[in-house]
Structure formats: structure tokens, C-alpha cells
Amino acid sequence: MANRSVICFGSSRVGLDRKNEVILCFGTYEVYTKDICTKVTIDGISADFSTKVVDSSSARNMYKSENEGFNCEYQVKVIVPEIFNNIKITFLFGEKHNNFSKKYVIKRKDIEFIDEKIAHHIDRVAFFGQKAEISGWCVDSMPVNIEVFSEGKPVECSITRKTRNDIDDYLVEAGNITEPGFSIVFDRAEYSDVLLRLTSADSIEEITVPMKEFSAGRKQGLKLIKAGMSYLKKNGILATCSKVKTRINNDKATRYDKWISGREPISEELEEQKKVQFEYNPLISIVVPVFCPVPDYFKDMIDSVLAQTYGNWELCLADGSGEGNYVDSYMQKKFADDARIKYMRLEENLGISGNTNMALGMATGDYIALGDHDDIIRPNALFEFVKALNDNPDIDFIYSDEDKYESKTRRRVGPHFKPDFNLDLLRSNNYICHLTMFSRTLYEECGGFRSEYDGAQDYDLILRYTEKANHISHIPKVLYSWRIHDRSTAASSITKDYVITAGRNALIDHFKRAGITAKVTDSSNACIYDVEYGLTQTPLVSIIIPNKDHTDDLDICLKSIVEKQDYDNYEIIVVENNSEESKTFEYYDELVKRYDKVRVIYYEGDFNYSRINNFGAKEAKGEYYLLLNNDTEMIDEKCLSSLVSFGIREDVGIVGAKLLYSDNSIQHAGVVIGMGGVAGHIFAGASSKLPIYYAHNLIPMEYSAVTAACLLVKKSVYEEVHGLEEELKVAYNDVDFCLKVREKKYKVVYNPYAVLYHYESKSRGQDDTPEKKERFRRESRYMVDKWAEYYDKGDPFYNVNLTLLSTECDLRGKYEYKVLDRIRMD
């Protein structure tokens, strides 16, 4: 085991109650802490110290970016003199862990709080409208008071103290810390500096916050806008768009190239992988069709196979290049004596499917992996696949994440971080692609590639294999790189018509085999298909709409159903709850006279969204329930019928819709567990028309949850999970409901073709009182405790490499786990 994969340094700080004590924190495996010898010196002299193993959720999560297997924090507490230069700590591991040592040197100046009387941190300085906000935390062994000054005078402000579970956990030796977090809000003005004075029983700490420096970032943004407008005037809109796109792509490419280089196994780890003895060591056949490859790129592909840290493989090459091509002579000269590499020169080019089938015929492995003749298989790819097979022998189809490699710049770009197996996504786009491996049993059952689908032959094969697979697994690691060069598919921005047609036909064939009535059409995005399921039945749908006053909003909602929808087998149940305006009840009287499909029932009790909907469900007569907010509006006549067409599938329990803000930006396109803390709407605020992250906003997809602002569910499923959890009065009851439904093995599907406007919680108001804030914190804790597996392992329909701190599928930061722990409990 390589050093980096056994232990890593996390942080260093002084103790709160003992200022002569430095606490050094390391991430590691708990099992290693039982067989470790620790030595500590200060400036070369042996020092007194003690050790402790911390097994809290935040301690575990902090080190996941370094090694997902780390499950504890190892703390070393060192007694230090008042003056010293550095601390040297040496870990000695015994025979169980290959008898090696790891050394760290921590300089005095790098130790957190070393010169602070009161531990503190400024997390953020933000501006909104005419207000400014400073947020952070401060802790001492005694309570800390906060005062705010500017130019020696007190600043009029509001100071809100907050609980911070992450600080409680981080500074565990201080005991129960009372509200260490703070938020300071004041009128925005041209302050040169703001001074925060922190005072405890025996200490004073002053922090200067340079407000103008934070304002400078906003001014720099205005300068960039001004420069962009100037370029636009001089060069026109097309040139400007091209320049902006190039700049953005270059920035993203450079950022990803650096990001991935810091997250792949280092040479030591690769060497350690070679030493691993798995209980199950299947032979893996890597199958590659060959046709006139660029020589250097072909050699790189073979080198990438030779570099695999898992050794039980064979490479099967079927070459349709014809006579006179260098490939044949190169293979005979270089690899004639290597039994692992099987090469066949074909008499004629049989096309991509035919050539690959010839290579498949050479394969003798227990599992078969597919590659291209100019791409790169990452050195740990087969190791990761075999590791997964040893963890779960039932796996018969497995795939990984991938990226692209630019030959000209030698940069890695364009990562595709995929969800776990997502049938609805696959039914619109071949998102699986590379690297894919499947069992010989599955291959013998399903057959090879079919030439009638050339251009989309891999899509056809993946559809057929996933139909039959018993267990499909996804490795959320980049294990394959498409090469981008002038002749490559990865470099082309133009998709030929025959490719699109072949993909559409493969998908039509899939639905026929599945016995599903569906219409497949080409979307405006290449190789992405729109799927319209047939309404093979028209069950009664009970539309349940909670309402309190706001009759104008309710009227818009009802008219968009009654006067617009082409699906007419429904009833509408308005659940009146605590309206205060007399005109509301007059409206109800008029409403039931106007629409014979509308009923009004009366709920009594405090606002509890879950209980209100459960109350409505008891009065419903339909086979399906549509939970619908009163501040929504169905945009076109197909909205309800589209929801039902997805909902009548046997494998589906819940269907959610695409919800838009009034400016047509996305309000909801699926819910990701952990996003923003507990759960959040992916792509919120983004364009509803332009494709985002491989067009996921435009494609039907399975998610862990969807919003109950518009949620269709089978009555039988609703009753099976006992409806919405009434302990969750306002927040996350829809997320909890969806997760309960998923526990019963039903799919929760986002339907982008059912589109509504959502004017969002007008009737309930905001969570802006202490009581509401406490209720929100309580409901957040309920979710994190009940569904801990999602927060520990990650949402299966997202990807652990993507950030949860924004909705835009950007790269995950190194210390994001620690930040998210704080948000969830704040």
C-alpha cells in the first residue's frame, strides 16, 4: 500500500482550553490505527504527546477527496513550548502494512490559531442590494461577544449567532460550544475597513475586514463587461461569441487537466496495485477493431494496455486496414512472441461491426472490454473493474467515466461524469459509451455487433446487453480517454445523418423487444432522441391542490388544466387550509358551479404540507394522484397526458415535471440528494432551452427525487409507503417520499416534456422567523439521519466527482465534504 493511500495530513491547530497544546489531524483507515507507532519531536527534541481516533461523520468526509476508503481521523496532541520552529511527526507501520514510515514536518507559522487569542474565521463577505453581510465563526473556551466598528465608531448592524455542528466536531475538545457561527448585516456604505472586536472573559481579538477589496471584485466584473461590449462593437456578435466560447473552453480545459492530475493514482499506488492478489482473477479480453490508425496513436493505445496494473488480460486486434499498411509489419516485429496480444489481419475491411466481431471471435476471456484503436485506457482501469467484481460477483455489465485527450495540446479535457445505471437517460442518449466491460455469458446470450446499426453499433449493443444484464455497475472514475485529433470521432462537431438514423433505429428496436409502445424522434441535439410513450390506458387522475387564499393564482392553475389539457379523465380536489379572506370562500362557491370536475374539501389544523396532501388523498377516487401546487400553470395541452404516459409504466412509481420561473429559466429539472446541503434542484436558474451537461436538462432521467410541486404517483404506491411523512411539515417531505418509493424498487423519473410555470410558495411565505428556522433545521437533521447512506456514498443518479455546492455540474472541490457538513447542520 502506497504511503499516500494509508494516511494523509489534514490540519493543525492549537487547543482552545490549552494554548500550549497543538492538535495535528490525519485521515486514515481505522484498522491501521491499531498497528501504528507514532514519534514526535519539536526542533529535534522528543516531545510529550497523546493520540486519539475520531470517528465522526465530518471527520470521515473531510478526507474522502484524498482517499474514499478513509473512515476516521487520527489526532495527535502535542505539548509545545512558547517558542519553537517546527514539529516533526513520524508514523511507523508494522508488518501488516508493509513496514514503512511516513514523516510530516509542520512549521509553527502554518498552525491554525497559533497566534490568535480567540479562534476565528471569516467565511464570506457578500453584498446584496444596499446591504453587506460578513459571516464566519469565533470560538474560545469562554463565550465570545462581537462588536463592529468603522473608523473608531460603532456600526449599526444586526448580529445573528448560529449553531455550527462542523465547529463542534472540529473543536471537539472544547465541549459543547454555544452558537459559534455569526452573520453580521449592515447598510452598505463606502467603508474603507470594518473592524470586528471579539471579546471573551480573558481575551480580545480584533479582525480587520477590508470592504473595498471585496468590492473590487465586483468592479473588476464591470470592467470585463465593458471590455466585452467594446469588442462586440468592433468585431460583431459572431466574432465575440467565438472569442468568449474559446476563452471559456480553454479555461475549463486547463482547470480540468489540473484537477484530474491531482486525483489519479500516483506511481507508488500503481505499483502497489500490481501487488494486489484478488480472490477472483478473471481473464479480461480487450477487444479492439483496427482500421488505418495513426501509427503513434495506435502504439499509445497498445502501451496503455501494457501499462495495466491488473495483469490477467489479453488484447484482441482485428485489422481491416488491408495490405501495405504498417500495422501488420509492426505487430509481427514487436509482439509476435507476446501470447497476451492476439493479432489478425483481415482479408478485407468488414466495417466497424464486422471487424469488431472478428476480434470478439478471438477473445477467450471471462469478461470482454471494448476499446478503439487510437484511444487510451487508463493504467488502473482493469484493476478497478476486477476490484468491483470481487466486491460483487453478480456484476455482468460494468462501465466507467471518461474524458478526452487533445493530441495537439496534450491536455485532458471534456470529462463525462456519469450517473449509475439510468435506463430513461439511456433511452434518449448512449451515455454509457466507454469504458464498457461485460461477461462472456452475457456476450454469448446477446451476440455481437450488428452491421445494420453501423454508426450506432455500440448503442445497439449496450441497449441489448443492459436489457439482459443481471447486475449493472458503474465505476465513478475516469478510466478511458478518447483521443481528439483531426481524424477522430471525438474531434468532430458534425454528426452524420446515417449515425443519427442508426441510433434512432436501435432505440425503436429496443422498445419493440421490451413490448413498450413509444414514438422515437430526433431532437435538435445530435444523437439525443425524444421519446413519447403511448397512452395505452387513461386512468382517472386525482389532482390534489392545497390552497390558502391566493385565488388569482389558483384560478390560473385550474384554467391551465380544465381549459387547456387534452387528457380529460381527471378530478380536481382543492384542499382548503386556513384561508382568511372571505372572497376566497366566495370563489370556492363559484368554482364548483363552474367546473363539475372540481371539489373543495376543508382541512383544519396548522400548516403541514404532508398532512394536507394525505388528507386530500383519502378523499381521492383516482388510480393516480397528481400532487400540484396552487402557484403552477401548465404551459401546453400535452402536459398532463405526458405525465400519465410515463406514469403508467410498470417500473415507474413517480413522475416529476420540468418547472420554469416566469422568465423561462429552470426552477426544477430533478432533485439531487446533498446538493446545497440536504437536497437541491439541479440546473436551477439555467436556460430551459439550451443543453446543459450532456443535455441532461432536456432528457427524461431517473433521479432520486423530484419536487412535489408537480408530482404524479400511482395510488397503490402512495399507499404502499403510507403517503408523505407528516413529521416533515414543510421542507423535504417530497424528497423523503421519493426515497421511500425508491426503497420499494420503483423508479422516480423526471419528464422534461411536461412543462409548467411555478411561481413558488407565494401562499406559504418565507422561513424568516426563529420558529421557522428551527423547524427547517429539525427537518434537515431528520433527512440527514434517516437517509445517511445517500450522504455517505453520494446520490446514485449524480456523480461524486461533480460539485454539490452549485447546480451546474462543475468539478467537485477538494474540501467540499467539510463545507457540506457545515451547511447541512447550520
Side-chain angles (χ1 to χ4, degrees):
M1 185 70 72
N3 293 2
R4 190 180 113 177
S5 47
V6 170
I7 196 164
C8 74
F9 177 67
S11 62
S12 58
R13 57 182 173 80
V14 298
L16 289 181
D17 51 350
R18 297 181 65 184
K19 298 296 185 181
N20 67 332
E21 183 179 71
V22 169
I23 302 171
L24 309 175
C25 303
F26 301 84
T28 187
Y29 297 88
E30 185 178 7
V31 65
Y32 293 160
T33 64
K34 299 173 182 178
D35 185 32
I36 184 173
C37 177
T38 305
K39 296 183 179 180
V40 180
T41 61
I42 299 175
D43 297 337
I45 301 173
S46 294
D48 293 331
F49 69 93
S50 62
T51 63
K52 180 179 181 179
V53 177
V54 178
D55 184 25
S56 64
S57 61
S58 62
R60 292 193 300 272
N61 286 335
M62 179 178 178
Y63 300 98
K64 281 187 177 179
S65 58
E66 183 70 25
N67 188 319
E68 290 185 2
F70 285 168
N71 57 4
C72 74
E73 182 174 76
Y74 189 62
Q75 292 187 354
V76 182
K77 298 182 181 181
V78 185
I79 305 301
V80 299
E82 186 174 349
I83 299 174
F84 68 95
N85 293 317
N86 59 62
I87 302 172
K88 181 178 180 180
I89 183 166
T90 303
F91 297 111
L92 302 174
F93 293 84
E95 289 185 8
K96 292 181 181 179
H97 314 303
N98 298 327
N99 288 305
F100 72 87
S101 64
K102 182 68 175 177
K103 299 178 181 179
Y104 294 93
V105 177
I106 295 93
K107 296 180 180 179
R108 184 185 190 280
K109 66 181 181 65
D110 296 329
I111 298 174
E112 201 171 6
F113 320 147
I114 193 70
D115 294 316
E116 296 176 4
K117 298 172 183 176
I118 299 173
H120 63 268
H121 189 264
I122 302 297
D123 293 336
R124 186 182 68 163
V125 177
F127 302 94
F128 48 98
Q130 299 302 311
K131 299 287 185 181
E133 180 188 31
I134 301 172
S135 57
W137 57 268
C138 56
V139 178
D140 195 23
S141 55
M142 301 293 287
V144 180
N145 183 55
I146 302 175
E147 298 174 281
V148 185
F149 298 90
S150 180
E151 298 180 353
K153 298 179 180 179
V155 172
E156 291 188 11
C157 61
S158 65
I159 302 176
T160 305
R161 302 303 296 266
K162 300 180 177 182
T163 57
R164 288 284 293 267
N165 289 48
D166 61 320
I167 303 303
D168 289 349
D169 206 3
Y170 183 44
L171 304 175
V172 65
E173 77 280 0
N176 187 22
I177 305 167
T178 303
E179 296 186 327
F182 61 77
S183 170
I184 304 169
V185 178
F186 50 91
D187 288 335
R188 188 176 169 194
E190 293 301 320
Y191 294 122
S192 58
D193 295 314
V194 168
L195 184 141
L196 307 187
R197 180 175 295 159
L198 312 178
T199 309
S200 67
D202 56 0
S203 301
I204 296 177
E205 190 80 42
E206 293 186 343
I207 312 166
T208 299
V209 182
M211 302 300 291
K212 285 190 174 181
E213 288 186 18
F214 288 99
S215 295
R218 295 166 62 88
K219 293 177 181 178
Q220 181 65 25
L222 294 173
K223 287 182 180 179
L224 289 173
I225 293 172
K226 187 175 181 180
M229 293 302 294
S230 176
Y231 189 91
L232 175 64
K233 290 178 181 178
K234 291 179 181 179
N235 300 281
I237 189 167
L238 291 179
T240 302
C241 290
S242 177
K243 186 177 180 68
V244 170
K245 183 178 180 180
T246 300
R247 176 67 178 272
I248 290 172
N249 287 341
N250 283 337
D251 287 348
K252 285 186 175 180
T254 300
R255 189 156 57 91
Y256 170 69
D257 194 51
K258 292 179 179 178
W259 184 93
I260 191 65
S261 66
R263 284 165 173 78
E264 293 199 314
I266 59 178
S267 58
E268 289 178 298
E269 290 172 303
L270 294 175
E271 289 302 315
E272 292 298 330
Q273 287 181 6
K274 293 177 182 178
K275 300 175 185 177
V276 172
Q277 296 295 318
F278 290 112
E279 183 177 343
Y280 176 48
N281 293 278
L283 175 63
I284 297 178
S285 299
I286 304 169
V287 170
V288 179
V290 181
F291 181 75
C292 300
V294 177
D296 287 344
Y297 303 160
F298 179 67
K299 294 174 184 177
D300 286 349
M301 181 276 294
I302 294 180
D303 286 344
S304 76
V305 176
L306 293 170
Q308 291 300 304
T309 59
Y310 177 76
N312 195 20
W313 54 263
E314 63 178 9
L315 176 60
C316 303
L317 304 169
D319 179 18
S321 302
E323 294 184 7
N325 191 278
Y326 84 97
V327 175
D328 185 44
S329 60
Y330 173 75
M331 294 301 299
Q332 297 301 331
K333 179 180 178 180
K334 191 78 173 176
F335 300 108
D337 296 328
D338 193 334
R340 299 173 302 172
I341 299 180
K342 300 179 178 180
Y343 170 75
M344 177 191 297
R345 184 173 70 82
L346 305 177
E347 294 300 319
E348 61 177 327
N349 177 30
L350 303 175
I352 184 66
S353 291
N355 292 352
T356 308
N357 285 337
M358 293 302 290
L360 282 167
M362 301 161 64
T364 61
D366 305 294
Y367 282 81
I368 299 168
L370 303 176
D372 288 340
H373 66 199
D374 52 5
D375 293 340
I376 299 168
I377 302 175
R378 309 318 302 186
N380 58 320
L382 299 188
F383 176 90
E384 295 292 349
F385 278 13
V386 174
K387 181 175 180 290
L389 291 175
N390 276 268
D391 291 340
N392 187 347
D394 293 332
I395 294 172
D396 51 2
F397 187 97
I398 188 168
Y399 65 97
S400 75
D401 297 340
E402 62 192 284
D403 63 12
K404 297 181 177 66
Y405 177 75
E406 289 183 334
S407 293
K408 291 182 179 179
T409 65
R410 298 182 181 275
R411 293 184 308 185
R412 292 174 66 180
V413 301
H416 188 181
F417 293 117
K418 308 165 188 175
D420 287 356
F421 183 63
N422 196 315
L423 178 59
D424 280 87
L425 174 57
L426 184 62
R427 283 175 170 171
S428 284
N429 173 249
N430 179 17
Y431 79 94
I432 289 178
C433 215
H434 294 300
L435 180 64
T436 300
M437 186 176 82
F438 44 83
S439 70
R440 170 164 291 280
T441 302
L442 198 58
Y443 164 60
E444 292 174 348
E445 180 181 3
C446 299
F449 289 89
R450 303 195 292 184
S451 58
E452 60 266 38
Y453 296 99
D454 273 1
Q457 72 287 336
D458 52 348
Y459 192 19
D460 169 63
L461 181 135
I462 288 170
L463 285 166
R464 288 186 287 119
Y465 280 39
T466 53
E467 290 166 18
K468 297 292 186 179
N470 293 315
H471 190 100
I472 301 170
S473 180
H474 164 230
I475 305 296
K477 296 182 179 182
V478 175
L479 301 179
Y480 192 95
S481 295
W482 280 30
R483 185 186 292 273
I484 299 177
H485 60 93
D486 293 340
R487 291 164 50 186
S488 71
T489 303
S492 176
S493 60
I494 301 174
T495 304
K496 296 179 180 179
D497 289 344
Y498 82 91
V499 174
I500 296 173
T501 300
R504 184 190 338 114
N505 290 338
L507 194 53
I508 291 171
D509 204 18
H510 159 75
F511 283 119
K512 287 180 180 178
R513 289 192 300 271
I516 296 174
T517 302
K519 179 181 179 182
V520 180
T521 55
D522 303 339
S523 76
S524 57
N525 298 283
C527 294
I528 292 175
Y529 305 97
D530 290 332
V531 177
E532 181 181 343
Y533 290 95
L535 268 177
T536 55
Q537 51 183 291
T538 55
L540 177 64
V541 178
S542 297
I543 304 174
I544 301 169
I545 308 176
N547 187 71
K548 177 183 178 181
D549 294 320
H550 290 272
T551 54
D552 290 343
D553 294 325
L554 178 60
D555 197 58
I556 292 171
C557 175
L558 294 175
K559 285 180 177 178
S560 74
I561 302 169
V562 178
E563 300 179 9
K564 190 179 291 186
Q565 296 307 300
D566 63 2
Y567 188 94
D568 60 4
N569 192 19
Y570 63 83
E571 64 169 356
I572 298 175
I573 301 171
V574 177
V575 186
E576 153 59 30
N577 62 101
N578 301 311
S579 291
E580 299 173 354
E581 301 174 3
S582 58
K583 68 176 184 179
T584 300
F585 299 95
E586 294 171 2
Y587 172 79
Y588 290 154
D589 291 339
E590 190 272 332
L591 181 64
V592 295
K593 295 176 182 177
R594 191 197 320 168
Y595 301 129
D596 58 5
K597 292 186 177 182
V598 177
R599 287 187 285 147
V600 180
I601 63 176
Y602 293 82
Y603 165 85
E604 295 181 357
D606 294 337
F607 182 84
N608 182 318
Y609 181 83
S610 298
R611 189 173 296 155
I612 291 169
N613 278 281
N614 290 341
F615 177 75
K618 291 176 182 177
E619 298 293 324
K621 301 174 183 177
E623 299 173 61
Y624 287 76
Y625 301 154
L626 178 65
L627 309 187
L628 189 66
N629 277 23
N630 63 345
D631 54 357
T632 59
E633 178 183 2
M634 295 185 180
I635 293 177
D636 65 39
E637 70 280 1
K638 296 288 185 182
C639 183
L640 185 53
S641 59
S642 183
L643 287 169
V644 175
S645 71
F646 275 76
I648 59 178
R649 283 168 39 190
E650 290 184 7
D651 58 338
V652 172
I654 289 174
V655 186
K658 178 191 286 186
L659 303 182
L660 307 180
Y661 291 113
S662 56
D663 64 358
N664 288 308
S665 62
I666 294 172
Q667 192 270 337
H668 169 268
V671 173
V672 173
I673 308 304
M675 182 165 281
V678 177
H681 292 189
I682 192 170
F683 307 130
S687 167
S688 61
K689 300 293 185 182
L690 298 176
I692 309 169
Y693 202 75
Y694 298 92
H696 284 187
N697 58 318
L698 305 177
I699 297 176
M701 287 184 62
E702 189 175 352
Y703 277 103
S704 291
V706 293
T707 179
C710 180
L711 182 155
L712 183 79
V713 58
K714 292 181 174 74
K715 173 185 177 180
S716 59
V717 173
Y718 195 94
E719 293 177 343
E720 186 177 354
V721 299
H722 307 294
L724 275 67
E725 173 55 63
E726 296 183 6
E727 188 172 335
L728 297 171
K729 295 182 179 181
V730 178
Y732 306 122
N733 38 52
D734 48 1
V735 180
D736 175 77
F737 178 64
C738 289
L739 295 180
K740 290 195 298 181
V741 169
R742 287 202 67 244
E743 268 193 327
K744 299 295 183 180
K745 308 303 181 184
Y746 299 104
K747 295 183 186 299
V748 175
V749 178
Y750 157 67
N751 177 359
Y753 314 130
V755 188
L756 302 86
Y757 286 120
H758 184 205
Y759 306 111
E760 204 170 18
S761 300
K762 287 182 179 178
S763 58
R764 185 177 61 83
Q766 301 300 312
D767 292 333
D768 53 3
T769 67
E771 294 78 13
K772 289 182 178 179
K773 289 179 180 179
E774 175 54 33
R775 185 262 309 148
F776 180 78
R777 282 193 288 267
R778 185 172 60 253
E779 293 176 344
S780 297
R781 286 193 294 269
Y782 177 96
M783 288 294 297
V784 174
D785 291 342
K786 180 177 180 180
W787 303 107
E789 183 177 359
Y790 283 86
Y791 299 102
D792 288 342
K793 295 182 178 180
D795 189 321
F797 300 111
Y798 198 51
N799 188 295
V800 294
N801 295 292
L802 298 176
T803 183
L804 292 168
L805 294 178
S806 75
T807 66
E808 300 169 359
C809 296
D810 205 347
L811 300 174
R812 171 166 287 201
K814 189 171 184 180
Y815 299 108
E816 185 165 311
Y817 291 101
K818 183 177 179 181
V819 175
L820 286 165
D821 268 355
R822 186 189 77 199
I823 293 172
R824 287 174 189 140
M825 297 305 177
D826 197 5

